[in-house]
Amino acid sequence: DVYELVKKDNYLLTMLDFNHFKAINDEYGHQRGDEALIFFAERLKQELQDFEGHIYRLGGDEFAFLVLEKMPLDREKLFEKIDKELKQFHQLASIAHGTVLITNDTCNEVLKAEHSMAKADQLMYEMKTKYYKANDLVLRKKD
């Protein structure tokens, strides 16, 4: 999808990962973890419908979405709202995210989408690390 989309317009790619998803599974079971994932995906879909968003589940608790650069999406407000709603699944549940601009110049046959994804992923992990440090928690490799 990405290669076709960026031929027509510029997009913002946001990579997402749950903080403390493993804790939901460990403390409440995998069914509750599945409910958290479904809830999150549905909320994200609902919030992005007015922004021509494209949402993708990459695997496990990792997601990505694309929105047109020109759309006025306030990511911080969006995730603040969803983070509050995720507390019903676990008190520490939240979303880490990282966003990069992708254009036909930065995402094409030569510069693959994975390059942009890796940049957004790096920003997301920087946010995740700050979150864990701010909350005096230990960041596990796959949390």
Side-chain angles (χ1 to χ4, degrees), residues 38-94:
I38 292 167
F39 172 84
F40 173 71
E42 288 299 318
R43 286 294 291 123
L44 192 58
K45 183 178 175 182
Q46 183 180 49
E47 292 289 335
L48 295 179
Q49 68 185 358
D50 294 335
F51 296 97
E52 300 180 37
H54 302 267
I55 304 165
Y56 307 90
R57 181 175 180 201
L58 303 176
D61 64 338
E62 298 173 357
F63 291 79
F65 70 83
L66 294 165
V67 293
L68 285 167
E69 177 191 24
K70 61 188 172 193
M71 297 302 265
L73 175 64
D74 184 341
R75 281 169 180 67
E76 294 307 318
K77 185 176 177 182
L78 168 68
F79 290 117
E80 183 178 304
K81 182 178 4 177
I82 293 176
D83 281 353
K84 287 179 184 175
E85 295 170 350
L86 287 174
K87 300 299 182 221
Q88 68 180 303
F89 295 98
H90 193 281
Q91 64 186 8
L92 295 174
S94 64

